[in-house]
Amino acid sequence: MKNIFSVFVFVLFAFSSASFAADAPSKTTATPAPVAAKTAPAPQEVVNINTADVQSLSKLKGVGTKKAEAIVAFRKANGAFKTVDQLAEVKGIGTKTVDANRKSIRI
């Protein structure tokens, strides 16, 4: 009985080791994981603050619909912007917002 049990354990161990070895990936056949290409962020659209509508103005960083409407209202009340820095005079638009969008704003 002891011999049968020993053979059984041996056979069980031999087959289980073989199945684990078959499941394990081989170092020579493993393919490296694909590396995601680094993509540059899409360039922000250039917006002419003297002609842009609310939808275009709201694409600027930190400018939502309400601030875009304030820009259009300021422009209608005061005429065209003469400088990019003048945009900071609009209620709700500060110098940080102007600086964050300076490369995307045109007169």
Side-chain angles (χ1 to χ4, degrees), residues 55-74:
Q55 183 180 7
S56 297
L57 289 166
S58 63
K59 293 179 182 176
L60 294 171
K61 295 176 192 171
V63 178
T65 305
K66 294 291 182 186
K67 289 182 182 180
E69 289 171 350
I71 294 169
V72 171
F74 182 91

Side-chain angles (χ1 to χ4, degrees), residues 16 33 48:
S16 65
N48 184 324

